[in-house]
Amino acid sequence: MAGEAAVPRDAGEAVTALFRAHYAGLVRLAVLLVDDDGGAEDVVQDAFARLHRRWGRLRDEEAAYGYLRTAVVNGSRSRLRRLRTSRRYAEPQPGTAPSPEGDVMVHEEHAAVRTALAALPRRQREVLVLRYYAGLSEADIAADLGVSRGAVKSHASRGIAALTRTLESR
Amino acid sequence: MNAEERLRAALADRAERARTSPDALDAVFGRVARHRRAVRLTAALSVACVAVAGAAFAAGTRPGTDAVRPITSAPATASPTTDEPTETATPSASPSATPTPEGAFVPVRVTFPDDTALVVLADRRVVAISTTTGAERATFGTLPPASADGPSGSLDWSSDRAHVVYEAGDCRLHRLDVANGTSTPLGRGRDPQIAADGRVAAIGCESGTDVLVIDPVTRRSTSYAARDKDATDDRGYPDLWERQAYVASVAWSGDHHLVVARGYEGALDVRIVDLATGKAFASDPADHVAVGRTTVAALHCCYPGENGADTTTFFTVPDVLDRRRPTPREETFTHPGNVHSLTLDARGAVLYVAADRLWRWSGGEPRLIRRGVAAVSG
């Protein structure tokens, strides 16, 4: 994912510029955390709206993208918490269905991995998504999640181990 | 491929298929505009409410029913917004009780009969109603939405009817003094519950895996975490449970025990926690709990029924605290739908909200009390 770009000082212009640069990428990140396209957009739009309101208080404009990414992770967590009961038995989202031209075997493989990922504890899941999709360093993940680098290492290691066990038992 | 490569491929594949709407930027600025409108309306409404309530007292009227209702009949759009922090959770030795930025709460001095419950209506008005007829007995005010477009927050009415704790948007907890209409911020939390001694239990908003117990005077809170003993994100919480888990619901049983429904994205279970010792006793699994004088009511939410529709199964567990062990269910019934608010009234009947309708169950068939209800507290 792209890093921070220079942004104008006006909140509207700044948010628009950040939106054009990062919206799609953040939605892709959110969809991996909430597994719901509509919900992911909702979380990301909310993050941009919050950033707009707090633009004047942002001490470091270069950190705006980092703020957005953290807001998306936190927003995704809140959304899951709100919906956790109703989602437990919800129908699969349309976005998870195989595309007509898609390879069924590949889709099943990916679905199995995502199912195994979804069964992990929240923190492990977030660390794995930020590391293996967003490509963040341990330091960045630690900063985004508000945990130590050691904790990131530990969550990643445990998450991968659990994922391996689940996938091997299929 | 090893697990890391498989994970990377699966994540990239799913992310690639994420869809975005073409008017997303407009939606962002729409949210910003709604927030600004709400802030302006809130400020105006707050001033008006305080002025009118003050005038009512000065004139010697007894607020509670007719005197109050016109003040709080503002449209739902006049509710304040949510996530601009107006107070902090920092404990303070002498918090000031002032009308909240939400401001719409007014003094209510009436004696409520036993068959009274406090409900949040669909338009976010907080009213006391008869659980027999559904008729309104007093209007307290209007809750802000829990999010920009979201539903109302939750609330709890103290057993002596003197206080209401409520979640005012974005996890901000307030404690309303019913007799004088003032509201004090308590910090951040969800689904607040008042003990008989005034302490407030709530679910922590930051992680959703801890229970806070807040002293209403000092506003100091103690966190109790539902976590693994070997969890690496140790934040110094006292140990209460063996596994990290989300807290779905919490209720007081007396001043010394909390009844907590918790779990992690699977079947939830109920733990009864002794706050003095930190020991927890397991009970039946449940998604939501409510505690009466001698009875725990709990429900299982959202299980697919025979016809594929969601159902909710209730059960009550008499004397569970005395037995302190898994207890067989008693008196079960199934509601055809997703129940999202549950309480016990002063007479021990179960009050619950499903599909914007308030129901009362005390054995036999549940009875519809009122439509257009979002949440209830007995």
Side-chain angles (χ1 to χ4, degrees):
Chain A
M1 296 174 79
E4 300 84 3
V7 288
R9 293 199 67 82
D10 174 75
E13 288 177 25
V15 168
T16 302
L18 287 162
F19 180 93
R20 297 199 194 291
H22 300 302
Y23 180 74
L26 288 170
V27 170
R28 286 197 285 271
L29 172 63
V31 91
L32 296 175
L33 296 171
V34 302
D35 200 21
D36 165 13
D37 286 18
E41 278 212 281
D42 199 46
V43 165
V44 176
Q45 289 171 13
D46 206 36
F48 275 100
R50 282 167 185 257
L51 177 66
H52 185 282
R53 289 199 291 275
R54 293 169 185 177
W55 186 255
R57 282 181 276 164
L58 205 62
R59 274 176 289 184
D60 178 7
E61 293 178 10
E62 295 295 311
Y65 176 67
Y67 172 92
L68 282 169
R69 197 174 55 214
T70 302
V72 166
V73 173
N74 290 340
S76 300
R77 194 181 300 161
S78 295
R79 183 174 180 84
L80 283 179
R81 202 159 50 225
R82 290 261 178 205
L83 300 179
R84 64 185 183 277
T85 305
S86 58
R87 278 176 62 95
R88 203 172 306 145
Y89 299 98
E91 294 295 319
Q93 297 296 312
T96 63
S99 57
E101 71 277 10
D103 182 330
V104 172
M105 294 288 285
V106 171
H107 173 78
E108 287 180 353
E109 152 71 8
H110 289 171
V113 174
R114 287 201 310 273
T115 302
L117 181 71
L120 296 179
R122 169 180 57 80
R123 201 66 104 178
Q124 290 179 13
R125 195 172 59 237
E126 289 170 353
V127 166
L128 293 185
V129 168
L130 291 173
R131 179 165 173 174
Y132 291 100
Y133 171 69
L136 299 187
S137 67
E138 282 173 358
D140 285 343
I141 296 172
D144 279 8
L145 298 181
V147 299
S148 69
R149 287 180 67 169
V152 171
K153 260 185 201 169
S154 168
H155 284 308
S157 164
R158 288 180 189 200
I160 285 294
L163 212 58
T164 303
R165 280 196 302 275
T166 305
L167 294 173
E168 284 176 351
S169 67
R170 284 177 67 211
Chain B
M1 280 201 297
N2 62 26
E4 295 182 2
E5 290 166 338
R6 293 165 76 179
L7 175 62
R8 200 171 270 124
L11 292 175
D13 172 63
R14 177 67 183 98
E16 197 61 35
R17 286 186 286 107
R19 294 164 299 176
T20 56
S21 49
D23 56 351
L25 184 58
D26 292 340
V28 169
F29 285 104
R31 286 169 194 241
V32 172
R34 276 200 299 277
H35 175 85
R36 284 178 175 162
R37 274 199 305 274
V39 168
R40 283 197 297 270
L41 286 167
T42 299
L45 182 65
S46 178
V47 171
C49 285
V50 172
V52 176
F57 273 112
T61 57
R62 195 181 81 160
T65 53
D66 291 338
V68 177
R69 206 164 279 128
I71 303 171
T72 57
S73 61
T77 52
S79 296
T81 188
T82 55
D83 45 22
E84 208 59 45
T86 55
E87 78 284 325
T88 68
T90 307
S92 163
S94 57
S96 58
T98 56
T100 64
E102 288 70 35
F105 289 102
V106 295
V108 177
R109 291 178 180 171
V110 293
T111 301
F112 296 103
D114 272 356
D115 68 333
T116 306
L118 202 62
V119 297
V120 183
L121 299 179
D123 62 5
R124 298 195 292 271
R125 277 188 304 135
V126 180
V127 298
I129 67 167
S130 160
T131 58
T132 307
T133 65
E136 290 183 29
R137 288 182 167 146
T139 302
F140 284 60
T142 304
L143 279 181
S147 64
D149 303 308
S152 304
S154 52
L155 82 171
D156 189 41
W157 205 5
S158 64
S159 55
D160 61 2
R161 308 291 170 84
H163 296 95
V164 178
V165 286
Y166 61 96
E167 180 190 350
D170 202 23
C171 283
R172 285 176 292 139
L173 294 179
H174 291 264
R175 178 172 180 263
L176 171 72
D177 186 319
V178 173
N180 62 26
T182 55
S183 188
T184 307
L186 289 181
R188 288 173 58 76
R190 286 191 295 117
D191 301 332
Q193 300 286 317
I194 311 180
D197 67 2
R199 284 178 300 161
V200 175
I203 301 171
C205 275
E206 306 311 325
S207 67
T209 59
D210 55 341
V211 174
L212 308 174
V213 176
I214 305 167
D215 183 310
V217 178
T218 64
R219 287 191 291 178
R220 292 185 188 282
S221 64
T222 304
S223 296
Y224 298 92
R227 67 179 177 87
D228 286 334
K229 279 184 174 169
D230 61 351
T232 54
D233 56 344
D234 189 345
R235 289 179 288 175
Y237 295 142
D239 274 325
L240 285 187
W241 301 292
E242 293 173 356
R243 292 185 62 244
Q244 183 174 16
Y246 279 125
V247 178
S249 179
V250 61
W252 286 97
S253 178
D255 291 335
H256 304 294
H257 291 86
L258 287 175
V259 182
V260 182
R262 41 75 85 186
Y264 193 90
E265 295 182 358
L268 302 180
D269 60 35
V270 171
R271 296 292 177 98
I272 299 152
V273 182
D274 184 328
L275 289 178
T277 64
K279 289 182 179 174
F281 308 95
S283 181
D284 275 7
D287 295 303
H288 202 133
V289 289
V291 179
R293 291 193 184 94
T294 59
T295 304
V296 175
L299 61 84
H300 290 286
C301 187
C302 314
Y303 287 92
E306 290 180 3
N307 60 1
D310 284 349
T311 62
T312 295
T313 299
F314 290 82
F315 60 95
T316 57
V317 189
D319 304 327
V320 66
L321 295 177
D322 293 336
R323 285 188 254 179
R324 292 181 177 176
R325 60 182 171 77
T327 309
R329 299 179 190 179
E330 297 181 15
E331 288 196 282
T332 65
F333 79 100
T334 298
H335 182 88
N338 182 351
V339 172
H340 53 84
S341 186
L342 172 74
T343 191
L344 286 158
D345 73 6
R347 298 175 177 179
V350 176
L351 298 170
Y352 63 95
V353 177
D356 293 336
R357 289 173 170 81
L358 175 66
W359 299 81
R360 184 174 190 269
W361 179 65
S362 57
E365 288 297 311
R367 196 157 63 85
L368 175 63
I369 302 299
R370 182 169 173 138
R371 296 172 193 272
V373 174
V376 62
S377 174

